[in-house]
Amino acid sequence: MASVKQRPDGVWRARYRDESGREYSAHRKTKREAQAWLDERTAELVGGTHLEPAKARVTLGEWAETWLRGYERHRASTVRQARVHIRVITEDLGHRPLKSVRPSEVQQWVVQLSGRGYSPSYVYALHRRLSQLFSDAQHDGLVAKNPCSRRTSPAAPKQRPYVATTEQVWALHDALPENFRPVVLLGAFAGLRVAEIAALRVEDVDFMRGIITPAIQYPGDDLKTEMSKTAIPIPQDLAVMLNANPATWGSSTIVVGAFGRPVAPYTIETAFKAARDSVEGLPEGFRIHDLRHYFASLLIAAGLDIKTVQARLRHASAKTTLDTYGHMWPDRDESSRAAVTAALNERTSDGREAAAR
């Protein structure tokens, strides 16, 4: 039921009921304005984009605050990153009602971010966060559609990782103080991340069988995924080298500070940067995380298949492994040519034999 009627005071009242039977109304000075409002609401009902007026007025900034309160169930580092993203988003779009943001405006916003000097990877991350906000708002009934999509998204950054040489890896190792040398061993030969390296305990390493089982990350948080807890086999020689600090200091962790105590990632990274600057050929931005790329290159060069490499790197999916390291697998062009050639030769051989008969 929908109608437009004039009240005794001359104001025109438009009203309608939604699919649940709830009534909504609006008052306008002229019949044309009232009818236009009613036509717009009716079109929303027919198109499945109708929202309660109260929900339609919620701004992006208001929703972001609500969303963050629910997002706090995640680990502290993840929430901190979300807050940084949302600060940028709300400074630009926070005043806008959620339903008013259009895909074309999202595209313009992405262009503006790039113009401010943000890196392509950071612009991509901000767009993903905005899309996450709208997706959850849609699930909550605050918007009918998400204005973010592949069409509005910047290109996903595709950066080929820098892979250090074996000589550079050992130069890094030797340039570090003895108590920090396991950082290179764990990164380059076991693929651990810096937060995992800082938190790796003696109890997480089976020195006899040669197995590392990451369990926590600094400062004692659970790892992000169950896949991150996958056991990593290591050779006995590496196990012996990793046992040097516990044997010397009686420490509870594999990596220790100058006095044999556990250290934070920041302390490790500070020492690592100083060592990096002394190694010829390493780029200025080379990080501890880049040692994982060296580890991946070792596995691929040894002929390991994609699923095995995924397991050793503890990636959640083989797609992540392929997207990052697919270019490192040997070129199979010659192998495919050889396969086709074999089939052609068989046909040619059969033809010669038939002619001979």
Side-chain angles (χ1 to χ4, degrees), residues 181-186 190 200 202 205 207 212 234-247 253-255:
R181 287 177 179 175
V183 171
V184 173
L185 300 178
L186 291 169
L200 189 68
V202 173
V205 183
F207 296 99
I212 297 174
I234 59 173
Q236 195 62 45
D237 289 347
L238 180 55
V240 171
M241 297 174 74
L242 291 176
N243 195 37
N245 277 343
T253 56
I254 300 300
V255 177

Side-chain angles (χ1 to χ4, degrees), residues 3-317:
S3 64
V4 175
K5 294 183 178 180
Q6 190 174 30
R7 293 176 18 161
D9 60 1
V11 175
W12 290 87
R13 181 188 186 193
R15 61 178 180 173
Y16 69 97
R17 294 183 184 274
D18 63 15
E19 295 175 345
S20 66
R22 184 172 180 178
E23 183 178 290
Y24 303 96
S25 63
H27 299 83
R28 299 291 186 267
K29 291 183 179 180
T30 67
K31 183 177 182 180
R32 177 179 295 180
E33 291 174 344
Q35 187 64 53
W37 179 87
L38 182 60
D39 291 345
E40 186 176 347
R41 302 289 84 76
T42 302
E44 291 174 350
L45 283 170
V46 173
T49 61
H50 179 264
L51 295 172
E52 296 178 24
K55 290 184 176 180
R57 290 192 293 270
V58 174
T59 66
L60 179 54
E62 292 169 342
W63 168 241
E65 291 180 8
T66 302
W67 182 87
L68 272 173
R69 287 196 292 271
Y71 198 69
E72 287 177 354
R73 70 185 185 277
H74 295 284
R75 66 183 68 249
S77 59
T78 303
V79 175
R80 282 197 300 272
Q81 184 182 55
R83 288 187 182 279
V84 172
H85 290 167
I86 286 175
R87 189 178 302 118
V88 177
I89 292 170
T90 55
E91 283 178 357
D92 294 338
L93 303 170
H95 64 287
R96 297 287 301 279
L98 281 168
K99 67 171 293 184
S100 72
V101 180
R102 300 286 182 263
S104 59
E105 294 173 311
V106 175
Q107 287 179 316
Q108 293 172 18
W109 177 67
V110 167
V111 172
Q112 290 170 2
L113 290 173
S114 299
R116 294 179 199 168
Y118 288 126
S119 68
S121 60
Y122 195 63
V123 174
Y124 181 78
L126 288 171
H127 180 273
R128 286 190 62 183
R129 186 70 68 187
L130 182 65
S131 181
Q132 185 180 19
L133 283 171
F134 272 106
S135 178
D136 288 348
Q138 184 179 11
H139 182 73
D140 219 40
L142 295 176
V143 293
K145 294 181 180 180
N146 185 346
C148 303
S149 67
R150 293 179 62 182
R151 291 185 177 183
T152 65
S153 174
K158 294 182 179 179
Q159 298 177 344
R160 289 196 173 185
Y162 179 85
V163 178
T165 65
T166 300
E167 290 76 13
Q168 288 172 327
V169 168
W170 283 117
L172 271 172
H173 174 273
D174 296 342
L176 284 165
E178 289 188 11
N179 54 297
F180 283 137
R181 287 177 179 175
V183 171
V184 173
L185 300 178
L186 291 169
F189 304 120
L192 267 65
R193 305 169 179 91
V194 64
E196 297 167 344
I197 292 172
L200 189 68
R201 302 163 299 188
V202 173
E203 64 192 75
D204 299 327
V205 183
D206 187 330
F207 296 99
M208 294 296 293
R209 294 193 300 151
I211 297 175
I212 297 174
T213 307
I216 59 174
Q217 62 180 342
Y218 186 87
D221 295 336
D222 288 336
L223 298 179
K224 288 187 177 180
T225 65
E226 286 300 312
M227 190 65 183
S228 295
K229 300 177 182 178
T230 302
I232 306 165
I234 59 173
Q236 195 62 45
D237 289 347
L238 180 55
V240 171
M241 297 174 74
L242 291 176
N243 195 37
N245 277 343
T248 301
W249 298 98
S251 58
S252 61
T253 56
I254 300 300
V255 177
V256 298
F259 301 102
R261 297 173 182 171
V263 290
Y266 175 79
T267 306
I268 294 173
E269 288 170 342
T270 300
F272 184 84
K273 289 177 182 177
R276 179 196 66 199
D277 294 342
S278 68
V279 177
E280 185 178 354
L282 283 181
E284 184 178 348
F286 190 82
R287 309 159 299 162
I288 294 173
H289 192 83
D290 292 322
L291 294 173
R292 275 172 60 84
H293 304 327
Y294 174 81
F295 180 56
S297 72
L298 280 184
L299 302 181
I300 294 169
L304 274 64
D305 61 84
I306 179 62
K307 293 299 292 183
T308 304
V309 175
Q310 174 200 346
R312 295 296 175 268
L313 291 170
R314 297 167 295 129
H315 282 154
S317 70

